[in-house]
Structure formats: C-alpha cells, structure tokens
Amino acid sequence: MFPDAAPHSLPTVTVGLDESDASRAAADWAAREALLRELPLRVLLVRAIPQAPEPREPDYAALRTWADSSTRGEIGRLTLRYPGLRAVREQPTGVPAQVLTEASEQAELLVLGSRALGAVQGFLVGSVAQLTVARARCPVVLVRATADAPAPDPAGDVLVGLDLRHPAEDVLAFAFRAAELRGVPLRILTAWHLPHSYGLYPPVEPDFITREARDWTRRLSEAVRPWREKHPAVRVREIPAEGGAAQRLLAEAAEAALVVVGRRNRRSRTGAHIGPVAHALMHHAPAPLAVVPHD
C-alpha cells in the first residue's frame, strides 16, 4: 500500500508523529500541505533513546511493534481521508530533536504539533519542538491541536512578519508561495519604533511621527516590490505598524490561516536561538505558525 521509507533524494513534507492530539492535527495539516505542494508526505515517528538510566531495560521489541502499528494506522487514516496523497513512513531510533533536525535537511517543510493551554496561557511547545525549530534547516510549521484534529485549514489569509533591518528573502519567498498555493491574500507587517528619546527635552518636530511613518511605508514597499512582480496573482496588503513586532503580529493573527516569521541562522556558545518574536508567536499565535530559517 505504501513504502516504509522515502527516497532521500526527493523533497517531502515531513511530519513528526507521537501519540498526542496535537500530533494528529499536525499530520492532517501536513497531508493537505503535501497535496498543495504535490510532494510526498513523510510520517516520522522517533523511537526515543532514554536520556537517563532507567530502572529496567526498555522493551525495544514492543517499541518497534508500537511504532510500526502507529505509523501504519496513521498513514491508513490519512490516505483514506485525502485521496491522491502519497505517503511514506519511518520509525528511526534516536534522540527526537536530533532526528527531526536531521530530517529537516531532506524536507521542504517540517510539521510539528503543539497543544492548547487556554486563552490566557497560550500553547504548550515542548522541548523537542523548541529545539527542532531552533536548529532546523527548513521551515518548521507548528500546528495547534483542536477538538476536531482533521478539520480543514482555518479560513483566512497568510500573515508574515518582516524585519526590514535584516533582509530575509527566504521568509518572503515562503510567504508568497503559501499565499499563492492557497489562493488567498498576503498581509506583510513590519513593526517600527519611535526613538527612546521621543517625548523628552528637547521636543521633536511636530511632524516627526508622520515622516517616520512615511519612511517605513516607503522602505516596506521597496522591499516587497520585487516579490509582487514575481507573484502578480497574489493580493498584497502592506502594514507598517508602530510598536512591538510580536504584539502587532498577534493582534493581526486572529484573521490568518497561516502566520509566517523568520529565524536567523546564528549560534552562540549556548546553542541556537529562536528570537523573541518567533518565541512569543510559538506560544500564543492562534493560527498555524511557520518559522523560516534565513541567513
């Protein structure tokens, strides 16, 4: 019915599977995305290696049986629900975040689940997902668990946050393609701040805010213009917004079917970092969130 492993030379939409409702929601989202992109879906369930001594040796035979049954059952469910879906499965043994990060090197897109904690607390993004987002070589989409995991994508457009201080062509390329594939509008938001000295003595010129807003509007338009020309079918709305980027994106996210943000490829002595805007959206954005790595 389906192969056990994908040829690594072919790009895939890869989804990380476990026993959670969030994982099932992610698998459904990934299946629809694979059909949109005309790519195979790779269902990946990692048989985790214990990271600390356990009272007794794990029953690896039982783990293999469980993993085989889980992936077969999930692919059976998905191929029945989404006719035309090409799906493959793998059950490697290893450290989950490490295996998923390695899988991102062959994937066009990696999809993971997160679960709701409530309207105030936001969403729980586990340590495996956080480490994977911080290190992945391809875009990672976090999908929120819902009461009805197989529900269609939420209605809405694509919203992308753009930091004009660090040009991110990969972020715009991903956002424009996502909007084009779905046939929906694209909102592009960049946040700007008044200088810390604003409002202090000596007073600034009366039209200072107006000039700042015009300048950011112009800069955003110039950054987006080449992408409008590449994707003339995509309806674009540009939003230069004064204030914090995370807060402004969260305010706009309620009407989005997909939110897109960037993550710079950078490392420090303490490892990879996600960045404050992506981190805030990972825990509070109501829509699926794509985190796109870029230089």
Side-chain angles (χ1 to χ4, degrees), residues 162-164 189-193 216 239-246 248:
L162 187 63
D163 185 350
L164 294 179
L189 184 147
T190 191
W192 57 277
H193 298 270
W216 282 96
I239 308 173
E242 193 277 323
R248 297 308 299 260

Side-chain angles (χ1 to χ4, degrees), residues 4-294:
D4 287 340
H8 290 302
S9 60
L10 297 177
T12 64
V13 173
T14 297
V15 60
L17 188 67
D18 56 34
E19 296 180 292
S20 67
D21 289 339
S23 170
R24 283 170 56 88
D28 276 276
W29 193 96
R32 294 191 294 271
E33 191 69 14
L35 288 173
L36 276 177
R37 293 173 179 261
E38 299 181 343
L39 293 174
L41 174 68
R42 181 185 180 196
V43 176
L44 189 64
L45 190 156
V46 182
R47 300 195 300 266
I49 296 175
Q51 296 299 289
E54 295 193 348
R56 55 178 180 160
E57 184 74 9
D59 187 342
Y60 289 107
L63 284 174
R64 285 194 297 270
T65 300
W66 165 75
D68 182 74
S69 175
S70 296
T71 53
R72 283 184 180 273
E74 187 64 10
I75 287 185
R77 181 183 74 85
L78 293 171
T79 53
L80 182 63
R81 186 173 182 86
Y82 304 104
L85 178 68
R86 295 172 291 152
V88 298
R89 66 194 183 95
E90 293 183 32
Q91 308 96 42
T93 299
V95 178
Q98 180 178 336
V99 173
L100 289 167
T101 299
E102 292 172 354
S104 73
E105 296 178 3
Q106 288 90 36
E108 185 168 304
L109 190 64
L110 179 62
V111 185
L112 304 172
S114 63
R115 66 182 179 87
L117 293 174
V120 176
Q121 298 100 320
F123 294 89
L124 175 64
V125 182
S127 59
V128 171
Q130 292 194 62
L131 285 171
T132 304
V133 168
R135 298 171 180 171
R137 304 306 301 171
C138 74
V140 180
V141 176
L142 294 176
V143 178
R144 313 315 191 185
T146 61
D148 181 15
D153 282 336
D157 57 11
V158 174
L159 170 67
V160 59
L162 187 63
D163 185 350
L164 294 179
R165 299 169 301 173
H166 306 288
E169 301 297 290
D170 291 341
V171 178
L172 282 173
F174 182 92
F176 267 89
R177 189 179 182 204
E180 193 168 56
L181 287 171
R182 290 162 172 76
V184 299
L186 173 64
R187 281 179 291 156
I188 305 175
L189 184 147
T190 191
W192 57 277
H193 298 270
L194 293 170
H196 294 298
S197 60
Y198 178 77
L200 301 177
Y201 184 84
V204 297
E205 301 173 28
D207 63 344
F208 175 79
I209 295 179
T210 300
R211 287 191 287 108
E212 280 289 291
R214 287 175 181 170
D215 181 59
W216 282 96
T217 299
R218 176 189 56 78
R219 292 174 61 185
L220 178 58
S221 179
E222 290 175 354
V224 173
R225 185 178 299 114
W227 294 94
R228 283 181 177 267
E229 294 171 355
K230 292 179 184 178
H231 301 270
V234 177
R235 292 170 290 161
V236 178
R237 178 185 168 200
E238 299 170 8
I239 308 173
E242 193 277 323
Q247 292 80 3
R248 297 308 299 260
L249 284 166
L250 286 171
E252 296 278 345
E255 300 176 2
L258 178 66
V259 180
V260 182
V261 293
R263 173 188 65 78
R264 294 181 65 194
N265 286 320
R266 57 186 177 185
R267 287 190 174 275
S268 69
R269 294 179 181 177
T270 56
H273 291 268
I274 295 171
V277 175
H279 188 271
L281 289 163
M282 284 171 61
H283 291 278
H284 295 286
L289 173 71
V291 182
V292 182
H294 64 89

